Amino acid sequence: MNIAVSYKDVEPRAPVEADVARLTGKLGKLLKSYAPDLVQLHGSFEKHPRRVEYTFSLNLSLPTGTLHSTGNGPDVRMSVKQAFGEL
């Protein structure tokens, strides 16, 4: 699985990267039927400029289609959990 994560105005990267790695591992177990080179996961973090709210967007590209999910929350880790739960 090819993974790319971008950050825009998000500070605490170490705990967030650990959560993303753990949830990506769980997702990888579900996608074993696809060739690893054909699966791409793109994530993007953003902080709302006027509110204390974070958004995490996920795009999962598979040979059979593309899935998109978005998570919003008061902190970064909540938005990650919500986005992976929706995916």
Side-chain angles (χ1 to χ4, degrees):
M1 179 182 326
N2 297 326
I3 302 168
V5 179
S6 63
Y7 298 88
K8 183 177 179 183
D9 299 331
V10 177
E11 300 296 326
R13 290 191 180 181
V16 173
E17 287 177 355
D19 284 345
V20 170
R22 181 179 57 85
L23 293 169
T24 302
K26 285 184 176 183
L27 186 62
K29 290 179 184 178
L30 298 173
L31 300 173
K32 287 189 179 208
S33 61
Y34 296 107
D37 295 341
L38 299 177
V39 178
Q40 296 181 2
L41 181 68
H42 298 281
S44 175
F45 287 101
E46 288 188 41
K47 182 181 184 297
H48 194 279
R50 295 190 181 115
R51 289 184 272 162
V52 181
E53 183 177 75
Y54 295 91
T55 303
F56 183 56
S57 301
L58 277 175
N59 286 325
L60 178 64
S61 299
L62 301 170
T64 57
T66 302
L67 299 173
H68 177 75
S69 66
T70 304
N72 295 322
D75 68 356
V76 180
R77 296 178 85 184
M78 289 284 287
S79 65
V80 169
K81 288 179 184 178
Q82 186 179 12
F84 271 98
E86 185 179 320
L87 189 64

